Amino acid sequence: MPKPISIDKLCKLFNLPYNYFHEYYKIYFNNPGEKMKAWKIKNNLTYEQLSKLLGITHSSATRLLNNKINLSYNMYVELKKLGAF
C-alpha cells in the first residue's frame, strides 16, 4: 500500500476522494479514533478487551483511539474484520 501522505498529495492535486484508492485512506484521514471509540462503546468493550482482540498493548489501544498514533493498514484490516468500519 502506498503511504497515506502520498495518497493525500495525489487526492489534493487531482481533486479525488480518498476512497478512490482504497477505503483505508478514507478512514485514515477522517478521524479513525472516533469511529473506533464509537464501536468500542457500542460493543461494551473495555480497553483490556479491545487490546486483546487487536493483539496490542493497553497503551497502544488508548493511543490509537485518541489518534496519538496512526492507524496502520494491518490494524485497519483487523478492525474491519471485527466490524469497526
Side-chain angles (χ1 to χ4, degrees), residues 6-70:
S6 300
I7 296 300
D8 186 47
K9 288 178 183 178
L10 285 170
C11 288
K12 287 177 180 173
L13 182 64
F14 294 105
N15 196 29
L16 297 169
Y18 291 118
N19 62 338
Y20 175 83
F21 294 98
H22 195 278
E23 182 189 24
Y24 162 69
Y25 298 111
K26 179 181 176 186
I27 301 292
Y28 182 93
F29 288 110
N30 287 299
N31 201 357
E34 289 301 316
K35 291 173 182 62
M36 289 183 283
K37 278 182 192 176
W39 176 77
K40 178 186 161 295
I41 291 167
K42 178 183 167 191
N43 290 284
N44 297 316
L45 296 171
T46 65
Y47 279 98
E48 289 292 323
Q49 293 168 324
L50 178 64
S51 60
K52 284 183 183 179
L53 277 173
L54 299 176
I56 58 177
T57 64
H58 180 278
S59 173
S60 293
T62 302
R63 293 173 62 212
L64 191 59
L65 291 177
N66 291 317
N67 292 315
K68 300 291 183 191
I69 57 174
N70 292 326

